[in-house]
Amino acid sequence: MAERVLPQHLGIIMDGNGRWAKKRGLPRSAGHAAGAKVFKQMVLYCGDIGLKYLTIYAFSTENWKRPQKEVLSLVSLFKIYLKDALDNFLNRNIQVRFLGDTSVFDPQLRKLIDEIKEASVGHTGMVLNIALNYGGRAEIVRAVRLLAQDVQQGKIKPEEIEEADIASRLYTAGEPDPDLIIRPSGEQRTSNFMLWQSAYTEYLVMDTLWPDFTPADLERAFDIYAKRDRRFGGI
Ligand code: FPP
């Protein structure tokens, strides 16, 4: 049987939690709780099938605009699932990394993040990037600042700056760009996710709301991806 074509790096914008809850007459937090369960299930599934890199958009730099109650419910879910990750992801050799400025979170969440980063050292399995307080534009601004510092210190000249110098200062430094980004819930937007890295990424918008997303939906996405003709600007 021919080997199936899996993306090396998959990105997922978990979307539709609020609509899922609304349809059921539940608070938005119930949608996020259901979405968090699916997050765990998908990470384990992707690890089991041998995916190399998985990036999950969990909280954007713009999500702070949501009511405080909703932000607090999300932060408490992050704590529950990151604690769980310490047992259930790290014993599977998964390497967990974080994209975004996590210094703004409360000490309890920051401590968990540090513990997970430390426990991931030496792991060689799937790389799981969790984007938390992440924005593609903020990430590029950060890279530009780092580069400007290096110019100021005479480490690099402006005319020497190349794409790779930006890429190596992004949170994803050293990782391949995403091959496929899935956005459930039908919204056709990038929402500031991996702006630099997704220049040639295949996008797939699926109608399923994130809390209803199953491994079968993921497999359907992989089948569609495998049939795409990627040309990277060539012919
Ligand atoms: C978008 O749906 C979803 C979010 C902003 C939060 C996603 C976070 C989780 C599922 C928590 C679990 C994550 C981890 C890392 C443990 P939406 O609320 O915008 O949906 P809507 O467009 O239907 O309103």
Side-chain angles (χ1 to χ4, degrees):
M1 207 171 74
E3 191 141 315
R4 64 190 182 136
V5 185
L6 277 184
Q8 190 185 13
H9 187 166
L10 169 69
I12 299 180
I13 301 175
M14 301 189 286
D15 196 14
N17 297 345
R19 277 162 284 167
W20 183 92
K22 196 171 173 201
K23 265 182 26 188
R24 289 164 177 76
L26 296 169
R28 293 179 59 83
S29 57
H32 294 314
K37 280 191 193 151
V38 175
F39 156 80
K40 177 177 173 182
Q41 188 190 17
M42 288 303 146
V43 171
L44 296 178
Y45 185 80
C46 287
D48 286 348
I49 62 172
L51 201 83
K52 298 273 186 288
Y53 296 86
L54 173 64
T55 300
I56 299 272
Y57 204 8
F59 194 86
S60 77
T61 44
E62 287 71 40
N63 286 153
W64 297 104
K65 292 182 201 154
R66 296 187 177 211
Q68 199 195 12
K69 201 170 135 205
E70 182 170 343
V71 172
L72 289 176
S73 81
L74 280 168
V75 168
S76 81
L77 280 172
F78 298 148
K79 289 178 188 168
I80 294 168
Y81 280 85
L82 292 187
K83 224 174 261 157
D84 184 82
L86 272 169
D87 298 325
N88 289 305
F89 295 170
L90 296 163
N91 66 1
R92 284 174 160 80
N93 199 21
I94 293 176
Q95 318 175 48
V96 185
R97 299 177 187 165
F98 292 88
L99 315 183
D101 178 10
T102 55
S103 71
V104 297
F105 290 110
D106 68 60
Q108 203 191 3
L109 182 52
R110 288 202 321 260
K111 185 165 172 270
L112 264 172
I113 289 172
D114 286 343
E115 274 172 26
I116 290 180
K117 282 197 221 162
E118 224 168 276
S120 291
V121 171
H123 283 203
T124 53
M126 181 177 78
V127 170
L128 168 65
N129 294 317
I130 302 177
L132 266 189
N133 191 27
Y134 171 87
R137 287 186 173 182
E139 179 183 39
I140 294 170
V141 168
R142 176 178 171 272
V144 169
R145 284 193 184 140
L146 292 170
L147 207 43
Q149 277 168 12
D150 286 348
V151 170
Q152 204 171 31
Q153 292 166 13
K155 292 182 186 155
I156 186 166
K157 294 196 181 87
E159 60 274 21
E160 288 169 356
I161 295 172
E162 294 182 348
E163 289 186 7
D165 298 303
I166 303 268
S168 64
R169 287 164 178 84
L170 299 176
Y171 293 114
T172 49
E175 300 183 10
D177 287 339
D179 303 291
L180 173 66
I181 289 180
I182 299 174
R183 180 155 194 163
S185 92
E187 301 290 354
Q188 306 192 32
R189 288 190 284 276
T190 67
S191 295
N192 206 5
F193 184 55
M194 303 193 96
L195 295 185
W196 176 278
Q197 298 92 331
S198 64
Y200 284 100
T201 298
E202 294 297 319
Y203 249 86
L204 181 59
V205 172
M206 299 176 84
D207 285 334
T208 314
L209 302 176
W210 178 250
D212 290 328
F213 208 83
T214 62
D217 292 308
L218 196 60
E219 287 298 337
R220 196 154 52 87
F222 290 152
D223 285 345
I224 295 170
Y225 169 77
K227 294 192 185 93
R228 295 260 179 107
D229 178 19
R230 302 187 74 193
R231 294 195 296 270
F232 300 93
I235 53 169

